[in-house]
Amino acid sequence: MGNHENSWLGPQKRAKPLVRAGVLLGLGLGGFFDGIVIHQILQWHHMLTSHPNPSVANDIRLNMMADGLFHVATYAFTVLGIVLLWRAWRTPVVPRSGRTLLGSTVLGWGCFNLIEGIVDHHLLGIHHVWPAGPGPVLLWDLVFLASGVLFVVVGYIVIRNTKSVPEPSETETISH
């Protein structure tokens, strides 16, 4: 690949701080979407509604607290992503690519769906996407995982297909 600075698998080396920021933003935003839309607005489930112990699964106060702790984690991912984005864009060699940021945020959201879906829905079994919905519970959990795979693939494609941004000139570097 010569001077292009890309690995065969990853983004341009100079863009990696931006990608890390976007992935953390995506983890946070994916979590916020899940918590706000699925837990609160649609009320399909709470964090512990499929817990094996019925006294835990049916305790709405405990479920609301677990939802709140979940939101604290998504908030932390989002704040950390913003801090990393701020730091990345203050570094002159990091490209200010909205396309790279968008792709990495979508990729991070997909990672959220995959990690949360595998851990909470399948390994721990503490909740499922839409237990009272039409069709089997497993169907909705698999749709959630499939959305994660789709987001990861689309985000990766966007990042990889972003044109290489030329190195800033010495005068641009000094002016930052």
Side-chain angles (χ1 to χ4, degrees):
M1 291 209 169
N3 262 347
H4 194 256
E5 282 192 63
N6 285 347
S7 68
W8 68 275
L9 198 60
Q12 186 178 11
K13 283 181 186 176
R14 293 184 305 113
K16 287 185 180 181
L18 185 58
V19 170
R20 282 190 287 274
V23 167
L24 282 170
L25 284 170
L27 285 167
L29 294 174
F32 274 130
F33 181 86
D34 181 275
I36 293 168
V37 174
I38 295 176
H39 293 209
Q40 294 174 329
I41 295 173
L42 298 174
Q43 298 179 17
W44 287 355
H45 69 258
H46 295 289
M47 280 305 294
L48 306 172
T49 51
S50 294
H51 193 279
N53 181 339
S55 65
V56 171
N58 296 321
D59 186 338
I60 192 63
R61 289 182 58 132
L62 181 60
N63 270 278
M64 291 299 287
M65 184 182 70
D67 285 353
L69 293 172
F70 172 77
H71 277 105
V72 167
T74 61
Y75 188 81
F77 282 129
T78 304
V79 168
L80 188 54
I82 291 168
V83 168
L84 290 180
L85 177 61
W86 181 74
R87 288 178 65 195
W89 278 354
R90 289 193 61 202
T91 305
V93 297
V94 175
R96 294 185 178 204
S97 171
R99 187 174 168 92
T100 299
L101 180 60
L102 174 65
S104 57
T105 302
V106 170
L107 189 146
W109 190 325
C111 289
F112 167 83
N113 284 7
L114 287 171
I115 294 165
E116 199 270 340
I118 290 169
V119 173
D120 291 342
H121 306 167
H122 297 283
L123 296 178
L124 299 177
I126 57 174
H127 70 257
H128 298 283
V129 174
W130 197 9
V137 171
L138 181 61
L139 171 68
W140 295 103
D141 288 348
L142 292 176
V143 167
F144 191 79
L145 289 175
S147 74
V149 170
L150 179 66
F151 280 29
V152 166
V153 169
V154 167
Y156 178 77
I157 289 170
V158 170
I159 294 166
R160 281 298 290 168
N161 288 334
T162 299
K163 300 242 186 283
S164 178
V165 179
E167 290 272 354
S169 69
E170 192 171 319
T171 53
E172 287 177 299
T173 304
I174 293 169
S175 68
H176 281 32

